[in-house]
Amino acid sequence: MDFEQKIAEQKEAEKIAAELNAAIEKFRANNAAALALTVETVKTTDEKTINNAINAYNKLNDNAKDALSAEKALLDSLSLKITQIKDKNETEVGKLL
Protein backbone atom coordinates (compact mmCIF):
# COMPACT_ATOMS: atom_id res chain seq x y z
CA MET A 1 0.00 0.00 0.00
CA ASP A 2 1.43 3.30 -0.97
CA PHE A 3 1.47 6.53 0.99
CA GLU A 4 -1.29 8.22 -1.03
CA GLN A 5 -3.61 5.27 -0.55
CA LYS A 6 -3.00 5.33 3.20
CA ILE A 7 -3.82 9.05 3.31
CA ALA A 8 -7.01 8.46 1.30
CA GLU A 9 -8.05 5.66 3.67
CA GLN A 10 -7.33 7.86 6.69
CA LYS A 11 -9.42 10.68 5.25
CA GLU A 12 -12.28 8.26 4.57
CA ALA A 13 -12.08 6.91 8.13
CA GLU A 14 -12.14 10.47 9.50
CA LYS A 15 -15.16 11.28 7.33
CA ILE A 16 -17.04 8.21 8.60
CA ALA A 17 -16.18 9.07 12.21
CA ALA A 18 -17.35 12.66 11.74
CA GLU A 19 -20.64 11.47 10.20
CA LEU A 20 -21.15 9.06 13.10
CA ASN A 21 -20.47 11.77 15.68
CA ALA A 22 -22.84 14.13 13.87
CA ALA A 23 -25.62 11.52 13.86
CA ILE A 24 -25.12 10.87 17.58
CA GLU A 25 -25.17 14.56 18.48
CA LYS A 26 -28.20 15.19 16.26
CA PHE A 27 -30.08 12.35 17.98
CA ARG A 28 -29.21 13.70 21.42
CA ALA A 29 -30.19 17.25 20.49
CA ASN A 30 -33.43 16.30 18.77
CA ASN A 31 -34.47 14.04 21.65
CA ALA A 32 -33.17 16.08 24.58
CA ALA A 33 -36.63 16.34 26.17
CA ALA A 34 -37.05 12.57 26.29
CA LEU A 35 -33.46 12.00 27.43
CA ALA A 36 -33.89 14.47 30.29
CA LEU A 37 -36.68 12.39 31.82
CA THR A 38 -36.22 9.80 34.55
CA VAL A 39 -38.44 6.95 35.68
CA GLU A 40 -39.29 9.14 38.67
CA THR A 41 -40.38 12.13 36.55
CA VAL A 42 -41.96 10.51 33.49
CA LYS A 43 -45.70 10.93 32.94
CA THR A 44 -48.11 9.35 30.52
CA THR A 45 -48.20 12.66 28.66
CA ASP A 46 -44.53 12.05 27.76
CA GLU A 47 -45.39 8.91 25.81
CA LYS A 48 -45.35 10.53 22.36
CA THR A 49 -42.02 12.22 23.03
CA ILE A 50 -40.49 8.92 24.14
CA ASN A 51 -41.96 6.98 21.22
CA ASN A 52 -40.63 9.59 18.79
CA ALA A 53 -37.16 9.21 20.31
CA ILE A 54 -37.33 5.42 20.07
CA ASN A 55 -38.43 5.67 16.43
CA ALA A 56 -35.55 8.04 15.69
CA TYR A 57 -33.14 5.63 17.40
CA ASN A 58 -34.45 2.73 15.31
CA LYS A 59 -33.60 4.64 12.11
CA LEU A 60 -29.92 5.01 13.06
CA ASN A 61 -27.18 2.77 11.72
CA ASP A 62 -25.74 0.06 13.94
CA ASN A 63 -22.63 2.05 14.87
CA ALA A 64 -24.71 4.98 16.11
CA LYS A 65 -27.03 2.60 17.97
CA ASP A 66 -24.02 1.03 19.70
CA ALA A 67 -22.80 4.47 20.78
CA LEU A 68 -26.26 5.35 22.11
CA SER A 69 -26.94 2.15 24.06
CA ALA A 70 -27.27 4.02 27.38
CA GLU A 71 -29.80 6.41 25.85
CA LYS A 72 -31.76 3.48 24.40
CA ALA A 73 -31.80 1.76 27.79
CA LEU A 74 -33.20 4.95 29.33
CA LEU A 75 -35.89 5.24 26.66
CA ASP A 76 -36.86 1.60 27.16
CA SER A 77 -37.13 2.08 30.92
CA LEU A 78 -39.25 5.21 30.42
CA SER A 79 -41.53 3.38 28.02
CA LEU A 80 -41.92 0.52 30.49
CA LYS A 81 -42.70 2.96 33.30
CA ILE A 82 -45.42 4.62 31.22
CA THR A 83 -46.95 1.21 30.55
CA GLN A 84 -46.89 0.47 34.27
CA ILE A 85 -48.52 3.82 35.09
CA LYS A 86 -51.23 3.28 32.49
CA ASP A 87 -51.89 -0.26 33.73
CA LYS A 88 -52.13 0.98 37.32
CA ASN A 89 -54.51 3.78 36.29
CA GLU A 90 -56.72 1.33 34.40
CA THR A 91 -56.80 -1.01 37.39
CA GLU A 92 -57.75 1.83 39.72
CA VAL A 93 -60.48 3.04 37.37
CA GLY A 94 -61.79 -0.51 37.14
CA LYS A 95 -62.04 -0.71 40.93
CA LEU A 96 -64.14 2.47 40.96
CA LEU A 97 -66.66 1.09 38.47
Side-chain angles (χ1 to χ4, degrees):
M1 185 180 303
D2 68 357
F3 182 70
E4 289 178 9
Q5 187 176 1
K6 286 182 181 180
I7 290 176
E9 288 177 1
Q10 179 65 31
K11 286 183 180 182
E12 182 63 21
E14 289 172 0
K15 178 183 172 190
I16 291 169
E19 290 171 355
L20 175 61
N21 287 334
I24 291 166
E25 291 309 312
K26 181 178 178 182
F27 175 85
R28 287 178 176 151
N30 289 347
N31 298 288
L35 298 173
L37 296 168
T38 67
V39 291
E40 291 81 22
T41 63
V42 71
K43 300 174 187 156
T44 57
T45 55
D46 297 316
E47 185 173 27
K48 183 177 179 181
T49 300
I50 294 163
N51 287 339
N52 288 342
I54 291 170
N55 290 335
Y57 172 88
N58 289 335
K59 293 177 183 175
L60 296 170
N61 69 35
D62 289 341
N63 290 332
K65 287 179 181 178
D66 289 344
L68 292 165
S69 61
E71 288 84 346
K72 178 61 163 73
L74 171 64
L75 295 170
D76 288 342
S77 67
L78 296 171
S79 182
L80 177 62
K81 183 65 176 183
I82 287 175
T83 300
Q84 292 170 343
I85 293 169
K86 289 169 72 174
D87 288 347
K88 182 181 176 188
N89 289 347
E90 288 176 12
T91 300
E92 290 176 4
V93 168
K95 289 179 183 179
L96 295 174
L97 298 177

